[in-house]
Amino acid sequence: MAIGDRMGALRRRGLDGGQARPGAGIPTAEPGWADRAAELDAALPDVDWRALPAGAERVVFEAPSGPLAGLAAGPVDGERVLLVPGATGSKEDFVLMLPLLADAGFRVEAFDLAGQYESSEAGPWRLDPPRPHYDEALFLDDLLSVLDRGDGPAHVLGYSFAGTLAQLALVARPDRFASLALLSCPPEVGQAFRTVKRIGVLSEFTNAHQGAALMLWGIRNNLNRVPPARLAFVRERFALTRRESVDDIIELMKATPDVRAAVRSAPIPKLVAVGAHDLWPVERHRAFADDLGAELAVYESGHSPCEESPHQLVRDLLALYRRSGPRA
C-alpha cells in the first residue's frame, strides 16, 4: 500500500490524531508542578498519544527533503524551544512536555524527521539533485532549515539519534542555539551501539538492516514494557514510517561523528538527560557529559524520559534555559 493510501486509512480509522479530542488524556500544567515533578511523573496516566494537548496545533515545516509534520504550542512571541525526535520516533513523543513548556511562556515546536511517521513523504528523492539515502546532510539540512524559521536562537533538544544531529547543527550554526539538551543521546563516537547493554557486542556482527530489524522487533513486541495505549500508537505509526529511513539512521549511528571538542567550546549551557535504565550505561553518559562540559540529569526511567519523566525533564530544561540568559 502506498504511503498516501496508508495515511488515508489511518485517518478513516481516526489514528492520525485528526479524530482525537484536543487534550484527551493529556495532563495540563498544574500550579506548582515543578515542586512535585517526581510525584506527578509517578502518577502519569496511560494517555491517548494521538490527542493534542489543549492549545497545541498541527504545523508543517517546509524543508529541503520535503514537508515535515510538526506540532506547536505556546505564545508565538515566546522564546523558542525545538524538540527533535529520533529513529522510529515522532513529534508525539513530546506531547506530555508541551503543556509544561507552553505554560512557562515558551513557544515550543516539534517535528517528525524525514521518512518518519507523518513526514514519510519527505526523503532523498526530493533533493536537488536526488540522492539514494537518508544521509547525515539530509537530516542536518532539514534541521537547520527549521531553525532558520525563527528570528533568534532557540533552545534545542535532540532525542536519541537527533542528539547527534543537534550537536552537528550547533557546530554548523552556533548562532541558532540558546542552549543544547541531549536526551538519551548516544554517548559514543564511531560505532555507537558497541556499549549498549547486553546486546552491544552483537552490533559488531550485524549490518544496518539487521540492526534495524532487531530494534523494530523489540519495539513491536514491547520489550520496553510500555503501557497499552503507548504501544498501540507506536505500532500504528510504523504503518507510515519508511523502513529505509530507519535502516539509514542505524547506518549513520554506526559511524557517529566526534564533535565533542567543538560542542564543548560553544558558550551556551548544555544538559545531558538520561534514564537510569537507558540503553547505554549511565557511566558512559556521565563521561559524555564531562566531555561536553554539560550538566547531567538522571531519571528513574528508561530510554524515554520524555514519556516517563516529563515533569522532571521539563523542570531541568527550564533551569537550563534560565542559565542561557536573556533572549538575544
Side-chain angles (χ1 to χ4, degrees), residues 144-230:
L144 291 175
S145 75
V146 174
L147 282 170
D148 281 340
R149 288 171 58 99
D151 294 330
H155 301 284
V156 179
L157 178 147
Y159 176 23
S160 197
F161 165 68
T164 300
L165 293 179
Q167 293 174 75
L168 292 169
L170 171 61
V171 173
R173 293 289 304 278
D175 59 300
R176 306 307 294 164
F177 283 73
S179 69
L180 175 67
L182 304 175
L183 177 64
S184 304
C185 176
E188 309 291 358
V189 298
Q191 210 286 66
F193 298 107
R194 67 184 186 277
T195 57
V196 166
K197 298 173 184 175
R198 293 184 294 277
I199 63 171
V201 65
L202 297 178
S203 67
E204 301 287 351
F205 306 99
T206 57
N207 60 32
H209 185 77
Q210 293 166 335
L214 181 62
M215 180 177 69
L216 295 172
W217 178 86
I219 294 171
R220 286 193 175 100
N221 288 278
N222 200 20
L223 297 190
N224 292 328
R225 300 180 182 178
V226 302
R230 177 65 187 178

Side-chain angles (χ1 to χ4, degrees), residues 246-311:
V246 181
D247 289 358
D248 286 346
I249 289 174
I250 297 302
E251 183 71 26
L252 292 173
M253 293 178 71
K254 291 171 77 71
T256 301
D258 186 359
V259 292
R260 291 172 296 179
V263 171
R264 183 183 182 91
S265 68
I268 59 170
K270 309 169 193 81
L271 174 70
V272 170
V274 300
H277 309 289
D278 187 46
L279 302 175
W280 289 272
V282 170
E283 57 265 27
R284 297 306 307 150
H285 289 293
R286 181 173 291 108
F288 180 52
D290 289 343
D291 288 342
L292 300 181
E295 293 200 9
L296 176 69
V298 182
Y299 312 107
E300 192 57 36
S301 60
H303 190 61
S304 304
C306 49
E307 303 166 27
E308 302 171 81
S309 307
H311 293 86

Side-chain angles (χ1 to χ4, degrees), residues 57-63 66-72 110-111 118-119 146 149:
E57 60 181 323
R58 295 190 178 277
V59 296
V60 175
F61 300 103
E62 293 298 335
L68 305 178
L71 296 176
F111 67 92
E118 293 179 326
S119 293
V146 174
R149 288 171 58 99

Side-chain angles (χ1 to χ4, degrees), residues 79 106 153 155 177-179 267-269 317-328:
E79 286 188 61
F106 291 90
H155 301 284
F177 283 73
S179 69
I268 59 170
L317 288 176
L318 295 179
L320 178 75
Y321 302 162
R322 288 192 292 269
R323 294 197 295 276
S324 72
R327 183 176 182 179

Side-chain angles (χ1 to χ4, degrees), residues 103-119:
D103 182 68
F106 291 90
R107 177 64 172 180
V108 55
E109 300 169 346
F111 67 92
D112 299 344
L113 294 179
Q116 308 285 296
Y117 193 36
E118 293 179 326
S119 293

